[in-house]
Amino acid sequence: MDDCIKLPLDEEQLEDLVLQAKDYLLSHGLVLRTVEKPDSNSVVTHAPVTLLPSPVPKALYEYAQGIQNNVNLLMHRIAVNHDFLWKCLEKVIQVDDFTRHLWEIYDTVTKEGVAQPYSLGLNRADYMLDCGIPVSQLAQSKVTVDSRSMKLRMVEVNLMSASFGGLSQRLKYFHKFILERLHMNDKVGQIPTEAGAADVLAKGILTAWEYYGKSGSVVLFLILDQERNIYDQRHLEYSLYQLNPKVKVICKTLKDVTERGRLTDDARLVIDGDEVAIVYQRCLYAPTHYSSEEDWQTRLLLERSKAIKCPSAGYHLAGTKKVQQVLAKPGVLEQFLTDPEAIQSIRNTFAGQYSLDLGKEGDEAVTMALNNPQTYVLKPQREGGGNNIYGDDIRVKLSEMEKSLERTAYILMDRIHPYLVQNYLIFSGKPVELYNCVSELGIYGAFVGTPDDVILNFSGGCCLRTKAAGTNEGGVATGYSCLDSPFLI
Ligand code: ADP
Ligand code: MG
Ligand code: MG
């Protein structure tokens, strides 16, 4: 933004703008529940946001949007390929209990014969714009990076509980409002609004619901009982309502399903008298979401049902970091996509990823990481932020498990060095300050299909998450990042 507006803003202007910003956020449902009362809807707070939209090169934004349908198709084909998933994960599940539980569910229902051939993918592919220069050097030298030398680098593809579609769709209008208040009316068009993320996801849900084919059946949002990000989910519900007010959403916890859900003789999932067409999971991606073996049994019950799961166990497994590492190997994309252009355009976004399996290849990766830990990120098979290992901690962790099978539960990835932008971060209850920041761009996709047929392959909308440079992890719900909107340059 600094090309368009001189930063820092003067103090009086900033104070006034922040006041207006917070009121806008609260007035437009850009809110979260509070850390103190995560189960209360009497006390809420505004979502953490940037005051200004952050610059993103238009060409890279369009590139990421342009490949999303192929990313959707790729991940779908992986999710329904039992042999490939087994080859990727057979070693991981020897040491990682969480992934093993998922695998067992997937394997059980595959062998029993899946009750529901349709899958629903509600995906978000995340990217950073790599300028190749570590943040510490960028901040000191004040190098300006030419946007043409930046590369789009995929961080991961989320196939499970991909969030912030609801809030991001609305946030763009907030950033337009702020630009107007800064008398930058001529610039508001640089914030893309052509498709709303929540609308894209809602279209996926509606299409899957139509294919389920039973009027009066409901969409089950499976949620945590203490969920700060509930309004993001509600916005998605309202997008669905806009598309078809007849489709009813019910919100339940896993415990509700355990206590009151059942399968009919023909595998229909029924809870509290409602037949469930879609199970949209906004939880169950972390080990802490399962408190007992009984909870895993309930996940198996869902998987055995005729309801269309988002994600299915296959999709959940396809979204693991291990699968994404294997995908980056030569020749692997070719097993799933035929169009050479599509393959190349996805491969262009891959950062180097390395297996840590026992053996020569894994040993070499361990040596590389021990010699140069700042150049890598060590990732376990987890979701939701806060799980990766960086810098000297990589050395500690790898030394601990250097010769042990435990290391096969991790992958190593080249560290991406995103370019720096300046922005004000507005966290609830903290002073608003100007930071050097880095951003991560997420592109949404919705996919409905069977192993052989594509019913819907659709994409659009985005979320941008921005955090202070020097913070390793990301995640808005985890308190690291702010929601942002791209300002295309
Ligand atoms: P999760 O599923 O937990 O979100 P990610 O792979 O997205 O896992 O990693 C979490 C965060 O860690 C990302 O949002 C990003 O900020 C940071 N991160 C992940 N991979 C890299 C990488 N290769 N280089 C730099 N930062 C990374
Ligand atoms: Mg993730
Ligand atoms: Mg992530």
Side-chain angles (χ1 to χ4, degrees):
M1 285 303 290
D2 12 357
D3 292 346
C4 315
I5 182 166
K6 213 174 142 21
L7 297 176
L9 298 172
D10 88 58
E11 247 170 63
E12 220 169 284
Q13 188 184 27
L14 177 65
E15 201 176 311
D16 174 57
L17 213 52
V18 170
L19 182 80
Q20 295 199 50
K22 290 187 179 181
D23 284 346
Y24 184 104
L25 296 169
L26 290 165
S27 311
H28 289 78
L30 288 155
V31 290
L32 296 179
R33 287 181 177 169
T34 62
V35 176
E36 295 74 24
K37 293 192 170 177
D39 52 359
S40 165
N41 61 0
S42 307
V43 190
V44 296
T45 183
H46 64 81
V49 302
T50 59
L51 179 65
L52 307 166
S54 292
V56 170
K58 188 167 186 248
L60 297 184
Y61 173 84
E62 287 173 352
Y63 190 102
Q65 290 286 2
I67 65 175
Q68 185 59 36
N69 279 9
N70 283 318
V71 172
N72 294 339
L73 182 63
L74 169 70
M75 298 321 287
H76 175 76
R77 290 188 172 155
I78 293 170
V80 296
N81 189 325
H82 185 273
D83 290 352
F84 180 77
L85 288 176
W86 172 248
K87 276 191 214 126
C88 291
L89 296 168
E90 65 171 310
K91 299 213 178 74
V92 171
I93 63 179
Q94 290 176 33
V95 280
D96 187 82
D97 269 359
F98 182 72
T99 312
R100 183 177 50 77
H101 264 113
L102 274 175
W103 174 266
E104 282 168 359
I105 291 176
Y106 174 66
D107 200 40
T108 304
V109 292
T110 308
K111 286 182 178 145
E112 287 173 358
V114 280
Q116 176 51 260
Y118 288 100
S119 302
L120 167 62
L122 298 180
N123 312 332
R124 197 189 69 218
D126 289 338
Y127 303 88
M128 281 174 158
L129 306 182
D130 194 359
C131 68
I133 306 168
V135 154
S136 51
Q137 286 175 30
L138 270 182
Q140 280 162 16
S141 60
K142 301 226 177 285
V143 188
T144 38
V145 182
D146 182 345
S147 65
R148 282 166 304 186
S149 65
M150 288 180 206
K151 295 196 176 73
L152 190 69
R153 285 276 170 265
M154 187 183 275
V155 177
E156 62 157 345
V157 184
N158 292 287
L159 306 180
M160 172 74 171
S161 304
S163 55
F164 296 116
L167 294 180
S168 298
Q169 177 163 327
R170 279 153 189 80
L171 193 70
K172 292 169 186 163
Y173 299 98
F174 161 77
H175 281 123
K176 284 181 185 260
F177 169 81
I178 294 293
L179 292 191
E180 302 261 10
R181 287 293 179 268
L182 284 165
H183 308 294
M184 292 168 63
N185 317 37
D186 56 328
K187 305 281 185 204
V188 292
Q190 284 173 252
I191 300 176
T193 46
E194 69 285 350
D199 294 343
V200 169
L201 302 179
K203 184 165 171 169
I205 296 177
L206 181 63
T207 306
W209 181 85
E210 286 164 355
Y211 271 80
Y212 186 83
K214 179 97 182 262
S215 74
S217 62
V218 303
V219 176
L220 166 63
F221 280 24
L222 203 62
I223 59 171
L224 294 171
D225 54 357
Q226 301 213 333
E227 174 59 83
R228 291 189 61 214
N229 198 20
I230 191 87
Y231 304 105
D232 181 53
Q233 303 170 6
R234 287 293 188 199
H235 287 312
L236 175 54
E237 177 182 345
Y238 307 142
S239 282
L240 183 60
Y241 174 76
Q242 290 293 324
L243 289 179
N244 184 341
K246 291 203 186 97
V247 185
K248 183 175 147 198
V249 169
I250 58 171
C251 297
K252 308 275 178 199
T253 62
L254 190 63
K255 189 159 168 275
D256 295 331
V257 180
T258 305
E259 288 172 356
R260 306 194 302 278
R262 64 180 176 88
L263 293 195
T264 61
D265 291 343
D266 59 348
R268 286 174 296 119
L269 174 66
V270 177
I271 183 163
D272 299 337
D274 286 318
E275 178 172 341
V276 177
I278 312 288
V279 181
Y280 172 55
Q281 300 173 56
R282 288 293 292 255
C283 59
L284 306 189
Y285 54 83
T288 50
H289 298 170
Y290 302 78
S291 57
S292 63
E293 198 50 42
E294 199 183 25
D295 284 350
W296 282 106
Q297 287 301 318
T298 307
R299 179 94 196 253
L300 176 60
L301 174 111
L302 295 173
E303 209 61 34
R304 277 184 168 140
S305 79
K306 235 181 213 160
I308 300 175
K309 276 74 60 181
C310 177
S312 62
Y315 258 80
H316 194 164
L317 290 166
T320 52
K321 310 292 187 274
K322 183 68 197 178
V323 166
Q324 300 184 29
Q325 175 253 307
V326 175
L327 271 185
K329 285 169 53 165
V332 179
L333 285 178
E334 283 78 356
Q335 296 174 31
F336 298 98
L337 299 173
T338 46
D339 175 6
E341 229 174 272
I343 291 169
Q344 196 51 46
S345 60
I346 293 178
R347 183 167 285 140
N348 286 343
T349 70
F350 286 166
Q353 300 193 50
Y354 313 90
S355 162
L356 292 170
D357 288 358
L358 294 181
K360 184 161 170 282
E361 196 190 333
D363 287 346
E364 280 170 11
V366 170
T367 309
M368 276 174 3
L370 289 175
N371 289 341
N372 265 315
Q374 308 299 337
T375 329
Y376 301 99
V377 179
L378 182 62
K379 296 188 173 188
Q381 310 307 311
R382 292 290 175 274
E383 282 299 325
N387 300 301
N388 297 338
I389 299 170
Y390 302 85
D392 285 337
D393 293 339
I394 295 185
R395 219 174 241 160
V396 175
K397 187 73 196 168
L398 278 182
S399 304
E400 267 170 32
M401 55 182 192
E402 197 173 345
K403 297 281 173 228
S404 131
L405 197 61
E406 194 195 339
R407 76 179 204 206
T408 59
Y410 292 79
I411 62 118
L412 193 68
M413 183 171 181
D414 283 346
R415 186 156 187 163
I416 305 165
H417 298 295
Y419 71 106
L420 285 185
V421 295
Q422 283 205 312
N423 212 326
Y424 290 95
L425 303 184
I426 312 182
F427 288 105
S428 180
K430 287 194 193 157
V432 176
E433 283 172 36
L434 188 61
Y435 286 89
N436 280 330
C437 300
V438 296
S439 300
E440 187 170 340
L441 175 69
I443 307 291
Y444 292 88
F447 191 97
V448 179
T450 66
D452 304 313
D453 282 322
V454 177
I455 308 296
L456 174 80
N457 188 0
F458 188 57
S459 53
C462 72
C463 87
L464 194 69
R465 289 168 301 159
T466 295
K467 62 183 180 180
T471 318
N472 284 327
E473 274 292 329
V476 174
T478 38
Y480 300 107
S481 303
C482 286
L483 291 172
D484 195 349
S485 305
F487 180 81
L488 300 184
I489 52 170

